[in-house]
Amino acid sequence: MRDENCIFCKIVAGEIPSRTLFEDEDFKVMLDVGPAAKGHALIIPKAHYADIYELPGELAGEAMKLAKRMATHMTTVLNCDGFNILQNNGEVAGQTVFHYHMHLIPRYKGGDEMILWKANHFSDEEMDALAEKLKVQ
């Protein structure tokens, strides 16, 4: 599967160059051209899936295994102090390229601020109702 208008599909096809760190039959790992930190990389499946909702479950599992492998390797090589693994789905969640991808972001003490959010507060009743509603049957 390929989307002719997708920049990641063009990279996978070799139409646009990339700094590839790893590649197999299913995935390509490359440095991000707009890095949040030194070593920021992306895992992209070679087949086009817009987001986590389209990505087959087995491939999602393989992406996470690859993320662990890459994070471990990158932490050793870069001597970073921490690591973010980030995956966005939908524009409101920060997705800007609509081809599923995972960000691998090494973090360094004294480096740029990591991704933060302000914690919300809900009543015990609201939390209980939400937990009940979200339970998987």
Side-chain angles (χ1 to χ4, degrees):
M1 264 189 325
R2 178 180 169 169
D3 180 334
E4 295 297 324
N5 298 314
C6 172
I7 190 167
F8 287 173
C9 288
K10 290 177 182 180
I11 290 169
V12 167
E15 297 168 18
I16 297 173
S18 67
R19 291 180 175 88
T20 302
L21 308 180
F22 173 84
E23 189 166 3
D24 66 12
E25 61 278 354
D26 294 318
F27 296 100
K28 183 179 197 80
V29 181
M30 62 187 182
L31 289 178
D32 193 307
V33 296
K38 178 182 170 186
H40 181 169
L42 301 173
I43 296 175
I44 60 172
K46 289 186 171 181
H48 183 86
Y49 303 98
D51 50 34
I52 193 75
Y53 309 111
E54 289 186 6
L55 188 70
E58 184 175 311
L59 202 57
E62 293 303 315
M64 187 51 93
K65 289 179 189 175
L66 180 55
K68 181 192 184 318
R69 179 179 175 193
M70 291 302 302
T72 300
H73 173 73
M74 293 168 72
T75 297
T76 300
V77 171
L78 296 170
N79 197 33
C80 57
D81 301 300
F83 216 92
N84 289 124
I85 297 174
L86 177 68
Q87 202 280 309
N88 303 318
N89 296 284
E91 187 175 349
V92 71
Q95 186 177 10
T96 58
V97 176
F98 294 91
H99 180 125
Y100 175 90
H101 57 286
M102 292 176 75
H103 293 264
L104 305 172
I105 308 172
R107 293 299 181 177
Y108 306 90
K109 288 180 183 168
D112 290 335
E113 194 171 287
M114 63 173 244
I115 300 148
L116 300 174
W117 60 83
K118 183 181 175 189
N120 288 295
H121 300 281
F122 299 97
S123 70
D124 285 341
E125 294 79 18
E126 289 171 309
M127 292 295 284
D128 289 344
L130 185 57
E132 193 60 37
K133 183 177 182 178
L134 292 173
K135 283 185 181 176
V136 178
Q137 304 300 321

